[in-house]
Amino acid sequence: QPALAWLSAGAYVVANAKNCGHPQLLVRRGTGSTASTGAAATIIARRGIDSLTAIDGRIFCRVNNKDTISWFIPSLMMQAAGLKPISDPKTIKDYAKPADLVKAVANSTCDAAAIDEASVKELVTDNTSVSAKVSTVATSVEFPYAILTASSDIPLAALDLLNAEFVRQSKDRLLKPKLAELLGQSSLATVTIADLQPLIEFVASTGQDLTQLGN
């Protein structure tokens, strides 16, 4: 059956691997110079740890096991570097929020953690007491907030109308807040598969069998 769905970055990569979905629109959040269509994770570590491989066997801290920035993306980054997924409960600690992760790394309670790249300047770089003890190790590619994905059996003319309608609703004074309850968008942006190639290549580098992830 023809299908149109808003997918997370991970779900889109699986849909692409199965050749069952084509990207149409991206959610954009923020305005002006602060606008973005996704987020990237930056792995931070206490001084002395300067590579992903050096994290192996160390204490890694996160918000929780369902958090995209502090757990899902860095797990993929470590797999892409050839490390096994962290699974030993003794090497994992959970904290309430990203600022707590930074403090834990700074006082060496944690060896490493991951935070939103956009918050590195505020939480690490611009805080001299923290930056003296914490360094950035690696930053991921951008993971889109949400991707409108369409199956190939939707006629192009119908797809153009559907995309235009989503964009119209995202600009309408009355409908925009209702759409934002679902997507959290400030606006919508067009996207092509070429735009998402860095994401696709990064996830492929982890060695995951992408066609099996959606089963």
Side-chain angles (χ1 to χ4, degrees):
Q1 293 295 316
L4 190 69
W6 285 98
L7 301 180
S8 66
Y12 166 74
V13 171
V14 173
N16 176 75
K18 290 174 171 288
N19 197 30
C20 60
H22 303 286
Q24 305 298 315
L25 298 171
L26 291 179
V27 162
R28 182 190 286 124
R29 294 173 183 168
T31 57
S33 61
T34 64
S36 65
T37 54
T42 293
I43 294 180
I44 60 172
R46 60 176 176 79
R47 291 290 179 179
I49 298 176
D50 56 5
S51 68
L52 284 175
T53 53
I55 294 173
D56 194 25
R58 309 273 188 167
I59 296 176
F60 193 90
C61 296
R62 66 190 183 187
V63 172
N64 58 57
N65 65 358
K66 295 181 180 179
D67 188 65
T68 298
I69 293 295
S70 71
W71 186 242
F72 177 64
I73 299 177
S75 294
L76 292 177
M77 294 170 72
M78 286 183 272
Q79 289 180 59
L83 303 181
K84 292 181 179 179
I86 300 173
S87 57
D88 186 350
K90 295 179 180 178
T91 63
I92 302 171
K93 292 184 178 180
D94 290 358
Y95 286 83
K97 53 188 178 180
D100 296 334
L101 296 176
V102 175
K103 291 178 183 177
V105 173
N107 64 29
S108 295
T109 302
C110 301
D111 294 309
I115 60 176
D116 191 326
E117 180 191 22
S119 65
V120 170
K121 186 175 187 298
E122 175 188 356
L123 297 179
V124 180
T125 309
D126 288 351
N127 188 327
T128 54
S129 63
V130 170
S131 61
K133 302 174 183 177
V134 177
S135 59
T136 58
V137 175
T139 298
S140 72
V141 298
E142 181 180 279
F143 276 61
Y145 299 123
I147 306 164
L148 182 64
T149 308
S151 58
S152 57
D153 48 6
I154 299 179
L156 183 59
L159 198 53
D160 287 342
L161 290 173
L162 289 166
N163 290 339
E165 177 59 19
F166 268 113
V167 172
R168 185 190 72 79
Q169 289 187 26
S170 73
K171 296 178 179 179
D172 185 273
R173 183 175 61 85
L174 295 178
L175 296 177
K176 181 177 180 177
K178 296 183 181 297
L179 187 63
E181 291 178 8
L182 172 66
L183 301 175
Q185 90 293 336
S186 299
S187 59
L188 299 177
T190 57
V191 65
T192 66
I193 192 170
D195 297 325
L196 300 174
Q197 200 60 33
L199 171 69
I200 294 168
E201 292 175 357
F202 164 69
V203 178
S205 73
T206 66
Q208 294 271 6
D209 183 351
L210 301 178
T211 62
Q212 295 300 312
L213 290 179
N215 292 338

